[in-house]
Amino acid sequence: MRTRREQPIQIKSPGQIASMRKAGLVVAHTLDVLADAVEPGISTADLDAIAEREIRGAGAVPSFKGYHGYPATICTSVNEQIVHGIPSDAVRLAAGDVISIDCGAIVDGWHGDAARTVAVGPVAGELAGLLLACERALWSGLAQASAGNRLSDISHAVETSARASGRYGIVREYVGHGIGTEMHMDPPVPNHGRPGNGPVLREGMALAIEPMLVLGSPQTRLLDDGWTVVTADGSRSAHFEHTVAVTASGPWVLTAEDGGRSGFERLRGEPATGQAEHPAAGAGSRS
Ligand code: MF3
Ligand code: CO
């Protein structure tokens, strides 16, 4: 999202967070189905049709369709496209591509928003490393979504993780966001920064954290369609996103089927892939 004037951060009741969880599970399931459908030859319009069928079949509403005139249910961003790629019959996936699939759904007026980048068949080692680094950076940020932490603790954790994994560009022109009764709410959630700044995180807040890492320069360019954001240098990009709630028992990843358990376990158990040493972060703790 882009940044606007800041509003107070919306605080949700446990019942409202439960509605957001329903939306999150629809998004998680839809992304699972889409990831399974990814194969050489499928068009991004085919993926969009699958997404709309899954979301509406679950009794939810696609949140992207019609958002500021956006024409589709999901965003499909292939290779050098970073975010907000528009599904098209003309775009067919090929072996060696990577595709960010971004999906949002509304249940009872409450939003869920998540994205993952999927490789089409085997991809170059450098590209596989980019995807792993971006997903790990996301989980490092999610682990900081605990009451009492500051917003920039999340940003700092994302940046620190990304840098520990390798020499990746961190996109700065697009950021994560608050989420609740709208998809994009305050506060903006940058993917870089010093720790200890910004609002204190409180129970009942919900955030969408979405790092975008690239193999080259993090400079972006907007295509003539008015939506698709690409790397200025044409280098490949990765994008992962989850919606997380700040709860009394720590971060609850609403768009992960298991609430984040396995993602946080992986983060604790696996060393960073890059050259730098990286102490494992504790889920929900301030490390
Ligand atoms: N999930 C995207 C984000 O977090 C939103 C897509 S914008 C839309 O920024 F217009 F495509 F809906
Ligand atoms: Co988002």
Side-chain angles (χ1 to χ4, degrees), residues 113 177 184 208 210 241:
D113 182 10
H177 48 94
H184 289 155
E210 49 180 318
E241 175 177 22

Side-chain angles (χ1 to χ4, degrees), residues 72-87:
T73 293
I74 54 174
C75 298
T76 50
S77 308
V78 180
N79 294 337
E80 78 287 355
Q81 300 179 350
I82 303 169
V83 288
H84 304 167
I86 303 173

